[in-house]
Amino acid sequence: MTDTPARQHRQVTALSRALPPWSLLAAGAVAGGLLGGAYGLVRTPVYTATSYVVAVPTEKSDTATALGFAQAYGRVAPQLAVLGDAQVWAGVPVKTLRESVRTATSPDAPMVAVTATSSRPDAAADMANAVARALTRHAGDTEQSTHVELQQFARAVRPAEPSSAPATVTGLVGASAGGLLGGLALLVRPRRTVGRGGRAAAVPGPAVAVDTHGQL
């Protein structure tokens, strides 16, 4: 004869009450650590490479102007005009460059950082260098009007290690999350009630009022 859902629920509730409080925390931490570590092992590693270009003022310009154009070039780098030229040197389509390449500028230095990510270390370096080269070329076409020259400051090199978190880190994050869930489960866990003879204490009913009719 199979157990009914109500009976199964009572069995699970009784088992949860019988377990010590710390068991939920330990089980959650262990399960989360195993899942996090497994995720770190099976996922594809990500490599990051960064190339730097610097804006240099000409004789008809100054450092402040170069700094302003560096900010502008940082916003122009992800545009189709630049990525269209970069795809030839990177060997990947424009869509891949748009998804994988990011630029960053500094408010204090006339420099643009071109960062690329990929599952292959050589592809990450090639994409970063290709976008930096295309950006420098486009800046050179307008140098006569901007009076600012964009030069290669540092080429991206092939990264030796992935930038994504290793399995140990993902395992620790998973263990922390699992422990937190275990703590939440401990808070909503059914509590044991105490009564006489194992039964819930009965609530006394209201006292019967004395009939005072005719006693006045």
Side-chain angles (χ1 to χ4, degrees):
M1 181 177 179
T2 58
D3 294 336
T4 62
R7 183 177 179 183
Q8 293 177 353
H9 177 71
R10 289 194 298 269
Q11 291 176 350
V12 172
T13 303
L15 179 60
S16 64
R17 290 176 177 176
L19 293 174
W22 56 264
S23 61
L24 293 176
L25 296 174
V30 171
L34 292 176
L35 292 176
Y39 171 75
L41 291 174
V42 301
R43 73 170 180 174
T44 304
V46 177
Y47 295 88
T48 302
T50 303
S51 179
Y52 297 92
V53 293
V54 59
V56 180
T58 62
E59 296 180 355
K60 299 180 179 181
S61 182
D62 53 18
T63 304
T65 303
L67 180 60
F69 274 103
Q71 303 289 331
Y73 289 140
R75 293 188 292 268
V76 170
Q79 301 302 318
L80 181 61
V82 178
L83 299 183
D85 292 342
Q87 68 173 343
V88 179
W89 300 310
V92 296
V94 173
K95 181 180 179 180
T96 302
L97 291 175
R98 184 173 297 163
E99 295 174 351
S100 304
V101 177
R102 297 292 181 269
T103 59
T105 58
S106 172
D108 303 321
M111 187 174 294
V112 182
V114 181
T115 302
T117 57
S118 175
S119 59
R120 296 186 295 112
D122 55 340
D126 291 342
M127 288 190 294
N129 289 326
V131 174
R133 179 181 177 183
L135 183 62
T136 303
R137 178 179 176 181
H138 277 266
D141 295 338
T142 58
E143 182 181 346
Q144 297 298 327
S145 58
T146 61
H147 306 292
V148 173
E149 181 183 3
L150 201 62
Q151 299 179 357
Q152 182 82 44
F153 183 79
R155 289 179 55 84
V157 296
R158 177 177 177 176
E161 297 180 356
S163 57
S164 54
T168 54
V169 175
T170 57
L172 291 176
V173 173
S176 300
L180 178 60
L181 292 178
L184 294 177
L186 183 61
L187 293 177
V188 300
R189 170 183 170 180
R191 299 182 180 275
R192 184 180 303 174
T193 58
V194 180
R196 293 183 179 179
R199 297 180 180 179
V203 179
V208 179
V210 179
D211 187 5
T212 58
H213 180 70
Q215 296 181 4
L216 297 177

